[in-house]
Amino acid sequence: MPEYSIIIPVYNRPEEVDELLNSLTFQTFTDFEVLIVEDGSNIKCEEIVSNYSNRLDITYFYKKNSGQGFSRNYGFERAKGNWLIVFDSDCLIPESYLKIVDDNIKKHQIDAFGGPDRAHESFTSVQKAISYSMTSLFTTGGIRGNKKHVGKFHPRSFNMGISKEVYKKTQGYQLPRKGEDIEFSIRIIKNGFKTSLIEDAYVYHKRRTSFSQFFKQLHFFGTARINVYRFYKEELKLIHFFPSIFFIGLFLTFSCLFLFFDIAIWGLAIYGLYFFSVFIDSSIRIGSIKIGFFSIVAAFIQLSAYGLGLIKEGLIYLRKG
């Protein structure tokens, strides 16, 4: 019986699954199995999975589409390991990942964990800019992978692990999608389990390959936050409104240019300083002026799309009230 079961839900992403599985073949800690759960895909990855049958302890499942949350549950039910680890299909896993996780679990006696994400050197400039935006404190993204974040750590399902005991008590995800991992993490903590951020258990997360796809994803994340609010009112905090305030402020700044220029110029100066800071920080951290410019675009999209999604879903919630 393996110590770890890795569950990977997938929908129409065979090439990503191939890259993820290849990265798992290099793990220095090898006591694990892999479960691929095909969530009603039209483009299946069964053939790709079969290519790894002689290198990994791997099982392929195909089921009707039900959303990634319930697909993870499907994998949980069939997993043999004492620990259940979830990855998104667009991740690459460093070779020391499982060894680091195993050492931390044994040392700290935790019940659930999450890890941060980074950009791989093979990523495109747009992907690196998106990764920067999603991990930078300038956009609040860095809070997810920061040990000094406010409150108890809430793992996210792109890189998350739970003990078998956690699954038995919580019965896994209650939502198919739209904030399902946030709701699950909240419930894990409310059930008295100990969660932890393992800073060195990072994955390379591709996220989206274009800014248009990134906008759709972040808009969805904004609506998901309100969906979680329907279950846990206390989990909508002031920081979640920052992207909406950012968007409204930017909109008002440009709206005032022809009517209240003296006021608008102050707004332009503030936003200009903010984007300049993003550019400098990104350029230094990544070592590329080009990606620094792309990071300005990524930060704008992240905050605006998330803010719009939250506003839109919030208004729908108030109308249904």
Side-chain angles (χ1 to χ4, degrees), residues 287-316:
S288 168
I289 292 177
K290 176 183 177 181
I291 296 174
F293 280 113
F294 281 173
S295 295
I296 294 175
V297 179
F300 169 76
I301 291 174
Q302 180 188 346
L303 294 173
S304 299
Y306 188 101
L308 279 169
L310 190 143
I311 292 170
K312 176 184 175 182
E313 194 72 13
L315 291 173
I316 292 173

Side-chain angles (χ1 to χ4, degrees), residues 9 14 34 110 124 195 273 309:
V34 181
I110 57 179
T124 66
T195 63
L273 178 62

Side-chain angles (χ1 to χ4, degrees), residues 115-241:
D117 57 329
R118 298 183 183 180
H120 192 267
E121 60 182 10
S122 66
F123 287 6
T124 66
S125 296
V126 169
Q127 286 176 317
K128 289 178 180 178
I130 289 173
S131 179
Y132 167 82
S133 178
M134 290 297 289
T135 57
S136 171
L137 289 174
F138 277 104
T139 60
T140 74
I143 293 174
R144 297 175 306 106
N146 188 335
K147 202 169 188 177
K148 298 179 181 179
H149 72 285
V150 178
K152 294 184 178 180
F153 181 69
H154 292 70
R156 292 292 186 268
S157 293
F158 70 88
N159 178 12
M160 176 181 183
I162 62 171
S163 68
K164 206 65 174 285
E165 183 183 353
V166 169
Y167 171 63
K168 288 178 180 177
K169 188 167 183 179
T170 62
Q171 291 301 296
Y173 295 83
Q174 290 189 349
L175 301 176
R177 60 199 298 267
K178 208 171 188 180
E180 79 288 343
D181 54 347
I182 302 174
E183 189 281 330
F184 187 30
S185 290
I186 293 169
R187 196 156 28 87
I188 289 172
I189 294 171
K190 286 183 177 293
N191 273 280
F193 291 110
K194 181 182 178 181
T195 63
S196 175
L197 166 68
I198 303 179
E199 290 183 289
D200 292 331
Y202 60 86
V203 299
Y204 299 114
H205 198 187
K206 288 186 176 181
R207 299 190 183 279
R208 295 297 176 258
T209 57
S210 69
F211 285 134
S212 61
Q213 291 176 331
F214 186 51
F215 180 92
K216 292 177 182 177
Q217 183 184 50
L218 267 294
H219 185 272
F220 183 81
F221 286 173
T223 65
R225 176 54 64 176
I226 297 299
N227 195 40
V228 172
Y229 174 76
R230 292 184 171 96
F231 298 90
Y232 303 102
K233 298 292 189 293
E234 71 278 9
E235 291 299 327
L236 187 61
K237 296 179 171 54
L238 180 61
I239 194 169
H240 299 131
F241 290 97

